[in-house]
Amino acid sequence: MTDWKSEISAATGRINGHIVKTPVVRVNGFGLPYGIEMKLEQLQHTGSFKARGAFNTLLSQPVPKAGLVAASGGNHGAAVAFAAHRLGHKAHIFVPEIAGPSKIRLIRGIGADLTVVPGEYVNALEQARAYEVESGAMQIHAYDAVPTVAGQGSLMQEWEAQGLEADTILIAVGGGGLIAGALAWLQGARKVVAVEPETSYALHAAMAAGRPVDVDVSGVAANALGARSVGRICYDLAAGQNTQTVLVSDDAITTAQYALWREKRQLVEPAGATALAALMSGAYQPEPGEKVAVLVCGGNIAPDPFVQD
Amino acid sequence: MTDWKSEISAATGRINGHIVKTPVVRVNGFGLPYGIEMKLEQLQHTGSFKARGAFNTLLSQPVPKAGLVAASGGNHGAAVAFAAHRLGHKAHIFVPEIAGPSKIRLIRGIGADLTVVPGEYVNALEQARAYEVESGAMQIHAYDAVPTVAGQGSLMQEWEAQGLEADTILIAVGGGGLIAGALAWLQGARKVVAVEPETSYALHAAMAAGRPVDVDVSGVAANALGARSVGRICYDLAAGQNTQTVLVSDDAITTAQYALWREKRQLVEPAGATALAALMSGAYQPEPGEKVAVLVCGGNIAPDPFVQD
């Protein structure tokens, strides 16, 4: 059994100074009759929470001379490239085509080797595994590894230290690394609601099947949330805590994304607006008096507002 | 003599619950060899600090049945319209053409009456004054009135309560309402640096002349910072404290604006990036060990990334 509280506390200490302690804010709006807390994790290095797991992995074990390899829809790859660059390691990132030009540019800009793989995330992962065997580079899994999950868990420890009041935290789920970190840290102390697109719902399907199963992935958030199956670590934690999952449509995600911009001047990628979409669409309806919080997890929108592709 | 500490403390109490307590963050980056504190005031209602002064004005005096009138490059008008709408008053906003479609849409969306005036801010102000006389509506000045300045001063009181550590705070200046509020609150306890575009530098010119004087205004931040002369309240406070002013080019502003997006996923209008531009361009160079903070004051960028004009 992993002692998650210890793993996450250690991760928090290890990555301190390497990551951004991202801001929190209490807001009204979005057509909701109650206020919500938000954590703006898109201010994290490389625009998503992924830098936490990447730094924790690199700082908790020896890194081979061949450096690092990662497969990623974009955000994890950017984070691994960034952490590797900061800590003086080589990195080779494999991304599927659906990562899109903005995220590909982000990774290239950091200076990592990059291979764009036809197909979806799982195809990039296959090539990354082949490269790992051949090169001796260390693979950093995007969501299903203890150091990754412990790193992502630092976010919830940090949020509590910042005065989080919510009874319930809504978190978008792809492969499940972020929510696994939250569940692992909270251990039931607060309710965590998993929010997935109707177009990619690996955790919802796993909870229904009683084990991780494959789902088809598509939709506006696919390059961030489009894992074909949820990680084992996430599944075990979610099943153990009987985590509630809710689904939101692509339209609901896009509506929330626009509302975040129009009302709060926060321009985020679809995945970053997915948790809010559950409140705005009514997919999750808090009880009277229930205090809710929304994690804004990523901001790497496409197209980039400053760059023509 | 205005007792500014009392005025601002009263404003803070008055507008509590009506405004957003905006988030703060400590970051590295922007090519700077030191970390900085930032306050993300673009999360304020209507995307800029102006809501503070508008609410304070409306809540500190009786409002006539004819409602409110304001002249504005856009942000102040949006804030007055928003505060009026929330508190159940009518509002008529006069904006110059240079406000641009994004800000005009923002004001229209709130539901205020709106007149778009050919020319620049001063032309809108003339029409607003004529309307004030004719209608009996209450004029809310964008920057040169005690309730406005006291409301903007609540920002600095709030930032200190959030644990501000900086020795020096960089603030963009247009008509001077925001920096006046900061100077009035701090009373010399921390250094405040006024940052103005080379294309509109009303405070810099006033400090050189020994009184507010007219300057030509143009450039990328003109609809937010393009006051032809600085307010008397701002001038008196800045002259009394011998406030340092620095100038930045439009290119430096645009570079900082892009860096805020690329590195921190904060998409802001040029005025919102003007204070940061002073650090990135070297127009202001902190002493070794000097702790600096940057106020990000507005996010109403044009074009709107979600709307085609």
Side-chain angles (χ1 to χ4, degrees), chain B residues 66-85:
Chain B
L68 303 156
V69 56
S72 164
N75 285 340
H76 174 62
V80 170
F82 181 87
H85 180 76

Side-chain angles (χ1 to χ4, degrees), chain A residues 60-78:
Chain A
S60 60
Q61 54 203 284
V63 176
K65 195 141 178 271
L68 303 156
V69 56
S72 165
N75 285 340
H76 174 62

Side-chain angles (χ1 to χ4, degrees), chain A residues 4-237:
Chain A
W4 282 111
K5 281 276 186 186
S6 299
E7 289 284 349
I8 293 169
S9 290
T12 294
R14 211 175 270 137
I15 68 182
N16 181 34
H18 294 282
I19 59 131
V20 180
K21 185 173 161 181
T22 53
V24 296
V25 64
R26 177 183 306 277
V27 294
N28 288 277
F30 308 118
L32 302 174
Y34 47 84
I36 61 175
E37 291 169 275
M38 293 199 305
K39 188 165 173 68
L40 306 176
E41 184 67 11
Q42 76 272 31
L43 273 91
Q44 191 53 261
H45 294 306
T46 69
S48 86
F49 65 91
K50 298 281 194 178
R52 297 173 182 269
F55 272 111
N56 188 49
T57 303
L58 294 193
L59 291 167
S60 60
Q61 54 203 284
V63 176
K65 195 141 178 271
L68 303 156
V69 56
S72 165
N75 285 340
H76 174 62
V80 169
F82 181 87
H85 181 75
R86 282 288 173 98
L87 299 173
H89 304 297
K90 291 199 296 186
H92 195 126
I93 312 299
F94 292 82
V95 297
E97 278 169 334
I98 61 160
S102 289
K103 290 181 178 178
I104 288 171
R105 191 183 312 110
L106 179 64
I107 297 168
R108 282 231 169 84
I110 297 163
D113 293 332
L114 179 73
T115 302
V116 180
V117 180
E120 57 186 271
Y121 171 72
V122 68
N123 307 106
L125 184 58
E126 279 165 20
Q127 286 211 21
R129 285 187 171 144
Y131 178 87
E132 179 188 4
V133 171
E134 163 199 312
S135 70
M138 181 169 98
Q139 174 95 227
I140 303 196
H141 197 281
Y143 49 85
D144 205 18
V146 169
T148 301
V149 169
Q152 321 309 26
S154 72
L155 186 152
M156 194 53 66
Q157 182 177 8
E158 178 180 293
W159 202 353
E160 290 203 313
Q162 289 171 310
L164 176 67
E165 293 182 2
D167 305 303
T168 303
I169 303 118
L170 288 98
I171 301 181
V173 177
L178 180 58
I179 198 168
L183 293 168
W185 175 255
L186 292 170
Q187 298 287 340
R190 303 178 199 248
K191 180 175 175 181
V192 174
V193 175
V195 186
E196 296 178 287
E198 290 172 354
T199 49
S200 62
Y201 53 94
L203 179 57
H204 184 80
M207 296 291 274
R211 62 188 168 80
V213 291
D214 280 3
V215 296
D216 290 334
V217 298
S218 64
V220 295
N223 75 17
L225 303 183
R228 198 181 279 187
S229 78
V230 78
R232 187 80 222 183
I233 295 172
C234 173
Y235 174 74
D236 287 344
L237 286 160

Side-chain angles (χ1 to χ4, degrees), chain A residues 20-21 23-27 40 42-43 47 106 257-258 261 264-267 299-301 304-307, chain B residues 20-21 23-27 40 42-43 47 106 257-258 261 264-267 299-301 304-307:
Chain A
V20 180
K21 185 173 161 181
V24 296
V25 64
R26 177 183 306 277
V27 294
L40 306 176
Q42 76 272 31
L43 273 91
L106 179 64
Q257 190 187 18
Y258 181 40
W261 169 250
K264 310 299 169 199
R265 292 299 182 232
Q266 294 302 297
L267 184 64
N300 295 324
I301 196 172
D304 187 300
F306 283 97
V307 183
Chain B
V20 179
K21 185 173 161 182
V24 296
V25 64
R26 177 183 304 278
V27 294
L40 305 176
Q42 77 272 31
L43 273 91
L106 179 65
Q257 189 187 18
Y258 181 40
W261 168 249
K264 310 299 170 199
R265 292 299 183 235
Q266 295 301 296
L267 185 64
N300 295 323
I301 196 171
D304 186 301
F306 282 98
V307 184

